């Protein structure tokens, strides 16, 4: 539906290294679903990001589930994004899924992932 399309695929800081989570949005009762990426250096822990996203999405009528987390290193000057690490609370996101979502938005970037902790 139009409301789901209005939700941005990606909201991450324009620069730096920070925590991120992969979130699944779903209409209650099944049907439409999609995954979004949210990350910010303002979040000390992964759950801080989820605690911000969840109420926003609930207002739009979605159920949210965190599929895991990690870190993003965003270098806007060189147009590079690296996805790595994991979330202690939520476990490791499937970084390959995250990369595919990031590529939709950062079309001219080199985007890579690894299971490295650092």
């Amino acid at each position: 539906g139009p409301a789901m399309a209005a939700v941005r695929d990606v909201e991450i800081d324009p620069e730096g290294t920070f925590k991120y989570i992969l979130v699944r949005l779903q209409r209650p009762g099944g049907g439409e679903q999609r995954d979004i990426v949210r990350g910010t250096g303002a979040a000390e822990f992964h759950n801080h990001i989820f605690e911000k996203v969840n109420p926003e999405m609930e207002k739009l009528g979605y159920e949210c589930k965190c599929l895991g987390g990690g870190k993003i290193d965003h270098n806007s000057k060189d147009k590079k994004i690296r996805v790595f690490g994991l979330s202690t609370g939520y476990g490791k996101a499937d970084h390959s899924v995250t990369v595919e979502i990031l590529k939709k938005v950062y079309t001219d970037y080199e985007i890579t992932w690894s299971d490295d902790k650092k």
Side-chain angles (χ1 to χ4, degrees), residues 4-20:
M4 192 171 264
V7 176
R8 289 200 299 224
D9 288 311
V10 177
E11 285 182 19
I12 60 171
D13 287 359
E15 189 65 45
T17 303
F18 45 83
K19 292 183 166 67
Y20 94 89

Side-chain angles (χ1 to χ4, degrees), residues 62-105:
Y62 299 110
E63 292 170 347
C64 285
K65 182 176 160 202
C66 184
L67 301 178
K71 282 189 165 176
I72 287 175
D73 180 21
H74 189 174
N75 180 336
S76 54
K77 185 171 69 74
D78 296 340
K79 297 198 167 180
K80 286 185 178 177
I81 293 176
R82 189 168 70 97
V83 184
F84 64 101
L86 53 83
S87 160
T88 314
Y90 294 122
K92 186 178 78 68
D94 184 339
H95 297 324
S96 64
V97 172
T98 302
V99 166
E100 289 312 309
I101 298 169
L102 289 168
K103 280 179 178 170
K104 288 193 220 172
V105 177

Side-chain angles (χ1 to χ4, degrees), residues 13-87:
D13 287 359
E15 189 65 45
T17 303
F18 45 83
K19 292 183 166 67
Y20 94 89
I21 57 173
L22 185 60
V23 178
R24 175 155 294 163
L25 304 183
Q26 189 152 9
R27 287 288 186 208
E32 198 182 8
Q33 65 173 42
R34 67 182 261 227
D35 298 342
I36 60 171
V37 174
R38 295 291 183 268
T40 176
E44 191 185 346
F45 300 105
H46 287 90
N47 63 304
H48 292 168
I49 308 173
F50 189 73
E51 283 161 14
K52 185 175 174 293
V53 174
N54 196 36
E56 289 173 6
M57 296 305 148
E58 281 183 342
K59 274 195 203 106
L60 297 172
Y62 299 110
E63 292 170 347
C64 285
K65 182 176 160 202
C66 184
L67 301 178
K71 282 189 165 176
I72 287 175
D73 180 21
H74 189 174
N75 180 336
S76 54
K77 185 171 69 74
D78 296 340
K79 297 198 167 180
K80 286 185 178 177
I81 293 176
R82 189 168 70 97
V83 184
F84 64 101
L86 53 83
S87 160

